Amino acid sequence: RREQARLRASVLEEDTEPWQKEPQFSGLHRVGGVDLSYSKEDESRACASLVVLSYPDLEVLYQDCRMVPVTAPYVAGFLAFREVPVLVEAVQRLQQEEPQLQPQVLLVDGNGLLHPREFGIACHLGVLTDLPCIGVAKNLLHVDGLVRDELHKEQVRSLQRSGEAFPLTGASGKVLGMVLRSHSNSSRPLYVSVGHRVSLGTAVALVRACCRFRVPEPIRQVRHPWGRYSTP
């Protein structure tokens, strides 16, 4: 908790890059996605994956998928301590081997400020790499009074068109993220939250712009060694 609080103080919740302020993000050329996927046979081993896509074409420029040992136990609220070290290593390999392909922003399969201590994996990775990061989760994390109750379900059903969204306001009164209908063919929303060096509005707009299907391409294109892509 002390380490999370220390690093949380470094999180920037606003746009810091020129491309974030440009129409259609005209200065953005490379978008990354990261994920850690566990082997069904042995949960002490996982595939740490990083992909970089061109923007706005969303074509794969770089892929790194490596099986790694996972030694830290899973503890709710502290997932980043289990997963971030190997994801940081993946980013560092890219910076050393193909520095011209470094992503200008990372989409993370997980949460950012939408977290019990407002410091999810997207925040943790962002602070340690100093890259803009966005949390993109497929399910609602029940924090600060947020629950997937009937009111929440009704709000989700009210999202009729691709790009429509509503804020996730906790009992504290703080907006922790946005619920986004990312594609017209899927009624299941995404839960977008700030990780680091990006505003919530920019995060939502970019996630939507990266969606050919429900899940944004930088995360969907993460490929695992057992021959499947991330969940569509």
Side-chain angles (χ1 to χ4, degrees), residues 44-213:
S44 68
R45 298 177 70 244
C47 178
S49 300
L50 165 65
V51 299
V52 180
L53 274 60
S54 63
Y55 186 88
D57 297 333
L58 302 177
E59 300 298 329
V60 176
L61 302 174
Y62 174 91
Q63 291 178 308
D64 182 6
C65 177
R66 302 198 182 194
M67 296 302 298
V68 295
V70 180
T71 56
Y74 170 74
V75 180
F78 300 94
L79 177 66
F81 291 97
R82 177 177 169 91
E83 298 191 349
V84 162
V86 293
L87 297 177
V88 169
E89 289 177 1
V91 172
Q92 291 173 339
R93 278 195 301 273
L94 168 59
Q95 291 170 333
Q96 293 167 3
E97 298 170 6
E98 302 279 357
Q100 74 280 7
L101 295 180
Q102 174 167 293
Q104 294 165 273
V105 59
L106 282 173
L107 272 57
V108 183
D109 189 0
N111 291 295
L113 295 181
L114 186 57
H115 179 270
R117 286 166 296 283
E118 296 184 11
F119 196 70
I121 188 169
C123 298
H124 206 133
L125 184 62
V127 169
L128 293 187
T129 61
D130 199 31
L131 291 173
C133 282
I134 298 170
V136 184
K138 303 179 189 76
N139 298 294
L140 175 64
L141 186 63
H142 293 184
V143 298
D144 195 13
L146 296 171
V147 292
R148 192 172 174 271
D149 57 11
E150 192 53 43
L151 174 59
H152 179 80
K153 293 176 184 177
E154 180 60 33
Q155 289 177 303
V156 169
R157 286 193 290 269
S158 74
L159 303 177
Q160 297 296 310
R161 294 187 298 273
S162 172
E164 291 187 346
F166 65 85
L168 282 167
T169 305
S172 64
K174 178 161 185 176
V175 175
L176 297 175
M178 294 285 284
V179 182
L180 171 69
R181 180 161 183 168
S182 56
H183 197 275
S184 58
N185 290 339
S186 177
S187 60
R188 293 181 298 162
L190 296 175
Y191 297 88
V192 181
S193 55
V194 168
H196 183 50
R197 293 178 59 184
V198 64
S199 69
L200 184 56
T202 295
V204 171
L206 181 59
V207 169
R208 173 63 194 94
C210 288
C211 287
R212 290 175 173 165
F213 302 95

